[in-house]
Amino acid sequence: MNTTSPAENTKLRAPGLYLRAALVALCLLPITQYTAAASCSDDVTLDSQSAINRFANDYVGCTSLGSLRIEEAVVGDIQSLAGLSQLTSVDGALKIFNNARLLTVDGLEQITSVGAQLDLYNNARLNSINGLRSISQVGGFLDISFSSYLPNVDALTNVTSVGTHLRLFHLYGLHDCKGVAPFITSLPDNLVTRTEKIKVGLEGQLPRNGSGANSIAACLNSYQDHKNGLALSGSKPNIVMFIMDDVGLDQLATFNYGGTAPPLTPSLDQIANAGARFTNVWAMPECSPSRIALFTGQLPVMSGTTGALGPSDLANSQLNPYRDTLIDHLGRAGYTSAMVGKWHMGGPENNQAEKTTPIEAGFDYYYGNVHGFLRSIDTTAGGVAAKGTYNCGFVPSVASDSTHGADTGACYTFDGSCSVISAPATTEPGRTCMEQGGLLDPGATSCASSPPNTLDFDMENAYYVGKLEKMSKPTSSGAPIQIDEFTAREYRTSVESEEAIRWLNAQSANEPYFLAVSYSAAHTPLQQIPQVFGTAGIGVTTSSSLDCTDSTDQRALQKAVISFLSEEIGRVLTESGLMARTGAGGSLELTAKGANTLIVILGDNGTLGYSVNAPFDPTRAKGQVYQTGVQVPLLIAGVGVGDTGFPRYGLTSIIDIYGAISDAAGLNLISSSSSFGPVSLAGNMAHALTANQRSQMAVNVAPNIQPNDVFNPPCALGTACSVTPINKGVCEDNNGVWYGPGATGLTAAGSPIPSSGFTACWATNQFLHRLNEPLLNVLPTGQSAAATETYKYVVTSWVDYDPQGDGPKTTEIEELFLIKDADGDPLIDLESLNLLAAPSLTDDAGLALEVLKGKLQQYQALGDWAAEDGNRDGIVDERDLELAQNVATSWGLSSFYDVNQDGLTNAEDIKVIAQAIAAKLGVPVPALPVFLLLLLAFFLWLIARRRLARLA
């Protein structure tokens, strides 16, 4: 039976309508700050802070009232209810309405019962109802609505009786409703009865709450997990993580995206059916900061890695060697660990560990590419033709390339063997030779005793030929790390999968392990996938006639690369015994071994622009903080996962995977000290409907630190100018035109670019302006964003050419977007949807702007490290001095103790650190020669150590 009255239904309309009606009513009343009462049983309205503050004097001895309405007459006036602390009950209704700056209801803690309705409505900034924690009896209905920053209703745990109904709605920030679960469980265990009595967001056909509080099931699941714990926590499972490179959320039909013809990904689809898919996951806009966040639990302002690492980036922007990684913690918990594939978190350039950074970061074993990116396509096909002849790195057939193709040739391999490959027996002799690890001498009808001198086996060739490193942690402490460097001559995704399978099958059943399979796919430069995949795989093929430098053809190539990647993930899981094709139609199912393993599959950042699928925005893709650049797929299967096959819609950060692994391994790494730290996904893994631990998000991207504050040189990507590509090869691999030093290309209008190049996009546009050619659209050099589940605030800056002043000009803009609509469906932050471009903001949007500006400031403040605090322990002390001296003596180049960021760690940096310590100790530091500074530094170190010893 519906007991909602017409008067109550007005609350479901926009708050503005209610407010106008209230204002009219107020105009008809005598202007007063409170309603005078003859006795404690009267109905009281308090409409100002002063009336609340005088309440104890005006109602001496009153512990109850007939009814109480708290509603400010002047916007923002009422901010505290502390003056009402004498009340223990309200005989009639307790209404708290339209108080714009009321943050809490503290002051009502003594109230245990409300005789009629308890109604909190449109208190916009309310973030705590802890003051209601003593209430057990409500005679009428209990409503809380239109307060978008209330995170939970835990204070309602003691409510045992509600007269008519309990409703929670239009609470966009409410992600946990376990506080009403005790009352729900007191009702008959009947869904019809409970849904008549309890109305929670969308399930109650009311305006939505946050994603974790829209159903009775979500409230109950959260409560039971809080009370009983979760299966994942402390289970110490084996952990296998797959990282897909440059695969954004837009790419996969698994997540109901992928465009009109999405890649075929049956294995990923089947893993999703056997596990959980998370649909609102944010990584960082570029790979290095995402990966470092994943393995440290730190977002970029804290880690210092703000962009994709390149050879010129200093150690200050790389993985900090002095801070423990997730792998370090797992090692101490008894885990054996390995990474296979792309590293890209530090080194080999500007890093004392050089190529051994994966081992220094805690891994027991590493096999892959420390640099972290595929080399360019060898357009000479191994030296058989001039550069630029073969855009995909192999000699195609005559049918595919009538000018340079060949239908026969001698295929030489690195070990000296040779075979003649010809059509029609082999349709594509050159491509087949490349896939077998060889080089084709086109046109040759027989094999010579040795390969022709023109063939160059040292040339790397994107996915098919690449130099890799293999290394293990030394068995004895202090022993050097031995690196085995070799060249892989097979399709890279297969190489990485094979090594992952080998390592997994070699592990002991008696100790837990962690494996990260960090695939190089689907990063550029893109090439055709192996031909055998079309026959032995799932029927996906890539024509040899596709042009690997054409952006349209690259879309087709990327789809095939993702299809191949999907099935290789499935192969790793089946050949390691974690899954088997025992389901309907040979689909994947978890084995007993897999059911006790934590399996994680994710993308590291959004998709590169020209490969983006609608409705996402290709102009706001990888490298930018917009949704297209940060939203990534996440699948989790195995231990701790329930409600399999159902999506999880809650806001999730890549660092929450760190939180989930920490929880599973019993590491206790999650801290509540910052809302921008990791949370555990254990509850969301267990239930499709439950509380969501994350209510806000922050992301940022900027150039990493290079000597003299320079950026990567400019690269023209279509009509845009970017400093994201780290060098000429990466620029050109992404169909770009290099404008930096060593430029060899032409402008869009055909003018030669000076070989000396330019150091910034604004200088490139100055050059184009002087040629009277169209200027490039300069992409952001710095972006930051803060978001709730509903709104997102973005600050963007860039430096462009100013024709008026004939020099650089910095521009900064702000944007505000609605990223989840009233029905809970996601929205894309398109430029046309910037709310700040409108003449005015709604009340909700205006408040969101205020809140998110503050959140972004809080996030940015987390990066306020002292430059002298190289080990990032929060203090500059003798330990920093000791570490800096060690680096200066043993290395002398870039490090976290390169305080002045000139690429050297030397006496100048030690002096600055010594001065910081001396200032704390009250000791002056004079100007001295270098050797005396070193002596002084040692002296300060002794002083500090002695003082600290005394304090201890």
Side-chain angles (χ1 to χ4, degrees), residues 203-229:
E203 182 187 68
Q205 297 183 320
L206 299 169
R208 71 170 177 87
N209 300 319
S211 61
N214 275 305
S215 66
I216 289 173
C219 307
L220 293 175
N221 288 334
S222 174
Y223 179 73
Q224 292 300 325
D225 291 345
H226 179 75
K227 181 179 178 182
N228 302 323

mmCIF file of all heavy atoms in Angstrom, residues 203-229:
data_model
loop_
_atom_site.group_PDB
_atom_site.id
_atom_site.type_symbol
_atom_site.label_atom_id
_atom_site.label_comp_id
_atom_site.label_asym_id
_atom_site.label_seq_id
_atom_site.Cartn_x
_atom_site.Cartn_y
_atom_site.Cartn_z
ATOM 1 N N GLU A 203 15.807 1.677 -6.831
ATOM 2 C CA GLU A 203 14.963 0.515 -6.555
ATOM 3 C C GLU A 203 13.590 0.940 -6.056
ATOM 4 O O GLU A 203 12.574 0.304 -6.348
ATOM 5 C CB GLU A 203 15.628 -0.393 -5.524
ATOM 6 C CG GLU A 203 14.833 -1.647 -5.210
ATOM 7 C CD GLU A 203 15.440 -2.431 -4.065
ATOM 8 O OE1 GLU A 203 15.403 -1.940 -2.916
ATOM 9 O OE2 GLU A 203 15.958 -3.531 -4.336
ATOM 10 N N GLY A 204 13.544 2.048 -5.315
ATOM 11 C CA GLY A 204 12.279 2.555 -4.800
ATOM 12 C C GLY A 204 11.571 3.479 -5.758
ATOM 13 O O GLY A 204 10.637 4.185 -5.362
ATOM 14 N N GLN A 205 12.032 3.496 -7.031
ATOM 15 C CA GLN A 205 11.483 4.370 -8.064
ATOM 16 C C GLN A 205 11.549 5.833 -7.636
ATOM 17 O O GLN A 205 10.618 6.624 -7.859
ATOM 18 C CB GLN A 205 10.051 3.958 -8.406
ATOM 19 C CG GLN A 205 9.966 2.549 -9.000
ATOM 20 C CD GLN A 205 8.561 2.155 -9.410
ATOM 21 O OE1 GLN A 205 7.600 2.458 -8.697
ATOM 22 N NE2 GLN A 205 8.437 1.495 -10.545
ATOM 23 N N LEU A 206 12.675 6.166 -7.030
ATOM 24 C CA LEU A 206 12.959 7.510 -6.560
ATOM 25 C C LEU A 206 14.222 8.013 -7.237
ATOM 26 O O LEU A 206 14.972 7.239 -7.839
ATOM 27 C CB LEU A 206 13.154 7.503 -5.038
ATOM 28 C CG LEU A 206 11.966 7.036 -4.191
ATOM 29 C CD1 LEU A 206 12.405 6.837 -2.746
ATOM 30 C CD2 LEU A 206 10.836 8.049 -4.266
ATOM 31 N N PRO A 207 14.504 9.329 -7.154
ATOM 32 C CA PRO A 207 15.785 9.819 -7.683
ATOM 33 C C PRO A 207 16.954 9.062 -7.064
ATOM 34 O O PRO A 207 16.938 8.715 -5.883
ATOM 35 C CB PRO A 207 15.784 11.292 -7.274
ATOM 36 C CG PRO A 207 14.342 11.651 -7.207
ATOM 37 C CD PRO A 207 13.656 10.428 -6.675
ATOM 38 N N ARG A 208 17.972 8.799 -7.853
ATOM 39 C CA ARG A 208 19.053 7.897 -7.474
ATOM 40 C C ARG A 208 19.932 8.440 -6.361
ATOM 41 O O ARG A 208 20.026 9.647 -6.122
ATOM 42 C CB ARG A 208 19.939 7.599 -8.681
ATOM 43 C CG ARG A 208 20.808 8.778 -9.124
ATOM 44 C CD ARG A 208 21.833 8.347 -10.152
ATOM 45 N NE ARG A 208 22.616 9.470 -10.620
ATOM 46 C CZ ARG A 208 23.727 9.917 -10.030
ATOM 47 N NH1 ARG A 208 24.163 9.345 -8.918
ATOM 48 N NH2 ARG A 208 24.383 10.946 -10.523
ATOM 49 N N ASN A 209 20.609 7.494 -5.718
ATOM 50 C CA ASN A 209 21.704 7.802 -4.801
ATOM 51 C C ASN A 209 23.015 7.502 -5.508
ATOM 52 O O ASN A 209 23.054 7.238 -6.716
ATOM 53 C CB ASN A 209 21.578 6.970 -3.536
ATOM 54 C CG ASN A 209 20.280 7.228 -2.804
ATOM 55 O OD1 ASN A 209 19.832 8.367 -2.703
ATOM 56 N ND2 ASN A 209 19.655 6.171 -2.305
ATOM 57 N N GLY A 210 24.115 7.512 -4.758
ATOM 58 C CA GLY A 210 25.373 7.052 -5.322
ATOM 59 C C GLY A 210 25.285 5.574 -5.648
ATOM 60 O O GLY A 210 24.368 4.862 -5.209
ATOM 61 N N SER A 211 26.248 5.073 -6.427
ATOM 62 C CA SER A 211 26.147 3.723 -6.984
ATOM 63 C C SER A 211 26.094 2.630 -5.924
ATOM 64 O O SER A 211 25.635 1.530 -6.190
ATOM 65 C CB SER A 211 27.321 3.455 -7.923
ATOM 66 O OG SER A 211 28.535 3.536 -7.212
ATOM 67 N N GLY A 212 26.544 2.902 -4.705
ATOM 68 C CA GLY A 212 26.560 1.864 -3.682
ATOM 69 C C GLY A 212 25.339 1.826 -2.801
ATOM 70 O O GLY A 212 25.307 1.066 -1.824
ATOM 71 N N ALA A 213 24.302 2.625 -3.126
ATOM 72 C CA ALA A 213 23.156 2.727 -2.199
ATOM 73 C C ALA A 213 21.860 2.944 -2.957
ATOM 74 O O ALA A 213 21.139 3.912 -2.719
ATOM 75 C CB ALA A 213 23.393 3.865 -1.208
ATOM 76 N N ASN A 214 21.554 2.029 -3.869
ATOM 77 C CA ASN A 214 20.327 2.154 -4.648
ATOM 78 C C ASN A 214 19.408 0.947 -4.506
ATOM 79 O O ASN A 214 18.504 0.774 -5.314
ATOM 80 C CB ASN A 214 20.661 2.371 -6.127
ATOM 81 C CG ASN A 214 20.924 3.834 -6.438
ATOM 82 O OD1 ASN A 214 20.104 4.698 -6.175
ATOM 83 N ND2 ASN A 214 22.099 4.107 -6.969
ATOM 84 N N SER A 215 19.661 0.110 -3.517
ATOM 85 C CA SER A 215 18.810 -1.062 -3.339
ATOM 86 C C SER A 215 18.923 -1.572 -1.912
ATOM 87 O O SER A 215 19.918 -1.325 -1.216
ATOM 88 C CB SER A 215 19.225 -2.176 -4.305
ATOM 89 O OG SER A 215 20.518 -2.658 -3.991
ATOM 90 N N ILE A 216 17.909 -2.294 -1.500
ATOM 91 C CA ILE A 216 17.946 -2.941 -0.190
ATOM 92 C C ILE A 216 19.092 -3.934 -0.131
ATOM 93 O O ILE A 216 19.795 -4.053 0.885
ATOM 94 C CB ILE A 216 16.598 -3.637 0.081
ATOM 95 C CG1 ILE A 216 15.512 -2.580 0.323
ATOM 96 C CG2 ILE A 216 16.698 -4.590 1.262
ATOM 97 C CD1 ILE A 216 14.109 -3.155 0.443
ATOM 98 N N ALA A 217 19.327 -4.648 -1.236
ATOM 99 C CA ALA A 217 20.411 -5.634 -1.256
ATOM 100 C C ALA A 217 21.755 -4.984 -0.993
ATOM 101 O O ALA A 217 22.601 -5.551 -0.288
ATOM 102 C CB ALA A 217 20.433 -6.357 -2.602
ATOM 103 N N ALA A 218 21.981 -3.786 -1.542
ATOM 104 C CA ALA A 218 23.245 -3.096 -1.314
ATOM 105 C C ALA A 218 23.434 -2.782 0.163
ATOM 106 O O ALA A 218 24.539 -2.939 0.706
ATOM 107 C CB ALA A 218 23.301 -1.815 -2.142
ATOM 108 N N CYS A 219 22.363 -2.355 0.817
ATOM 109 C CA CYS A 219 22.456 -2.041 2.256
ATOM 110 C C CYS A 219 22.772 -3.302 3.063
ATOM 111 O O CYS A 219 23.643 -3.286 3.947
ATOM 112 C CB CYS A 219 21.152 -1.431 2.746
ATOM 113 S SG CYS A 219 20.563 -0.002 1.810
ATOM 114 N N LEU A 220 22.068 -4.386 2.758
ATOM 115 C CA LEU A 220 22.254 -5.624 3.511
ATOM 116 C C LEU A 220 23.626 -6.241 3.262
ATOM 117 O O LEU A 220 24.287 -6.704 4.201
ATOM 118 C CB LEU A 220 21.161 -6.624 3.145
ATOM 119 C CG LEU A 220 19.740 -6.251 3.570
ATOM 120 C CD1 LEU A 220 18.748 -7.272 3.025
ATOM 121 C CD2 LEU A 220 19.643 -6.151 5.087
ATOM 122 N N ASN A 221 24.064 -6.256 2.008
ATOM 123 C CA ASN A 221 25.376 -6.834 1.700
ATOM 124 C C ASN A 221 26.494 -6.072 2.390
ATOM 125 O O ASN A 221 27.431 -6.668 2.938
ATOM 126 C CB ASN A 221 25.606 -6.850 0.191
ATOM 127 C CG ASN A 221 24.764 -7.889 -0.518
ATOM 128 O OD1 ASN A 221 24.373 -8.888 0.080
ATOM 129 N ND2 ASN A 221 24.479 -7.663 -1.791
ATOM 130 N N SER A 222 26.414 -4.762 2.364
ATOM 131 C CA SER A 222 27.441 -3.960 3.026
ATOM 132 C C SER A 222 27.467 -4.239 4.520
ATOM 133 O O SER A 222 28.541 -4.376 5.124
ATOM 134 C CB SER A 222 27.183 -2.470 2.765
ATOM 135 O OG SER A 222 28.083 -1.670 3.495
ATOM 136 N N TYR A 223 26.287 -4.343 5.115
ATOM 137 C CA TYR A 223 26.200 -4.591 6.554
ATOM 138 C C TYR A 223 26.779 -5.957 6.916
ATOM 139 O O TYR A 223 27.565 -6.085 7.864
ATOM 140 C CB TYR A 223 24.747 -4.492 7.000
ATOM 141 C CG TYR A 223 24.544 -4.764 8.470
ATOM 142 C CD1 TYR A 223 24.935 -3.833 9.426
ATOM 143 C CD2 TYR A 223 23.949 -5.950 8.895
ATOM 144 C CE1 TYR A 223 24.740 -4.074 10.782
ATOM 145 C CE2 TYR A 223 23.746 -6.198 10.245
ATOM 146 C CZ TYR A 223 24.147 -5.268 11.183
ATOM 147 O OH TYR A 223 23.966 -5.514 12.517
ATOM 148 N N GLN A 224 26.414 -6.977 6.162
ATOM 149 C CA GLN A 224 26.902 -8.319 6.457
ATOM 150 C C GLN A 224 28.417 -8.407 6.268
ATOM 151 O O GLN A 224 29.107 -9.057 7.069
ATOM 152 C CB GLN A 224 26.198 -9.344 5.563
ATOM 153 C CG GLN A 224 24.719 -9.517 5.876
ATOM 154 C CD GLN A 224 24.469 -9.975 7.309
ATOM 155 O OE1 GLN A 224 25.245 -10.752 7.875
ATOM 156 N NE2 GLN A 224 23.386 -9.491 7.904
ATOM 157 N N ASP A 225 28.948 -7.767 5.235
ATOM 158 C CA ASP A 225 30.394 -7.785 5.025
ATOM 159 C C ASP A 225 31.119 -7.047 6.148
ATOM 160 O O ASP A 225 32.180 -7.472 6.605
ATOM 161 C CB ASP A 225 30.747 -7.154 3.678
ATOM 162 C CG ASP A 225 30.288 -8.003 2.505
ATOM 163 O OD1 ASP A 225 29.968 -9.184 2.723
ATOM 164 O OD2 ASP A 225 30.248 -7.480 1.380
ATOM 165 N N HIS A 226 30.532 -5.942 6.584
ATOM 166 C CA HIS A 226 31.129 -5.179 7.683
ATOM 167 C C HIS A 226 31.115 -5.992 8.972
ATOM 168 O O HIS A 226 32.069 -5.964 9.758
ATOM 169 C CB HIS A 226 30.350 -3.876 7.869
ATOM 170 C CG HIS A 226 30.849 -3.016 8.989
ATOM 171 N ND1 HIS A 226 32.008 -2.275 8.908
ATOM 172 C CD2 HIS A 226 30.332 -2.783 10.231
ATOM 173 C CE1 HIS A 226 32.193 -1.627 10.039
ATOM 174 N NE2 HIS A 226 31.204 -1.920 10.865
ATOM 175 N N LYS A 227 30.062 -6.743 9.157
ATOM 176 C CA LYS A 227 29.897 -7.524 10.390
ATOM 177 C C LYS A 227 30.718 -8.810 10.361
ATOM 178 O O LYS A 227 31.357 -9.184 11.367
ATOM 179 C CB LYS A 227 28.409 -7.852 10.554
ATOM 180 C CG LYS A 227 28.058 -8.639 11.812
ATOM 181 C CD LYS A 227 26.556 -8.874 11.865
ATOM 182 C CE LYS A 227 26.165 -9.706 13.074
ATOM 183 N NZ LYS A 227 24.697 -9.969 13.094
ATOM 184 N N ASN A 228 30.740 -9.489 9.224
ATOM 185 C CA ASN A 228 31.331 -10.832 9.159
ATOM 186 C C ASN A 228 32.663 -10.905 8.443
ATOM 187 O O ASN A 228 33.332 -11.946 8.496
ATOM 188 C CB ASN A 228 30.348 -11.791 8.468
ATOM 189 C CG ASN A 228 29.013 -11.855 9.172
ATOM 190 O OD1 ASN A 228 28.953 -11.798 10.398
ATOM 191 N ND2 ASN A 228 27.940 -11.967 8.406
ATOM 192 N N GLY A 229 33.052 -9.837 7.753
ATOM 193 C CA GLY A 229 34.288 -9.871 6.980
ATOM 194 C C GLY A 229 34.063 -10.451 5.593
ATOM 195 O O GLY A 229 32.972 -10.906 5.247
#
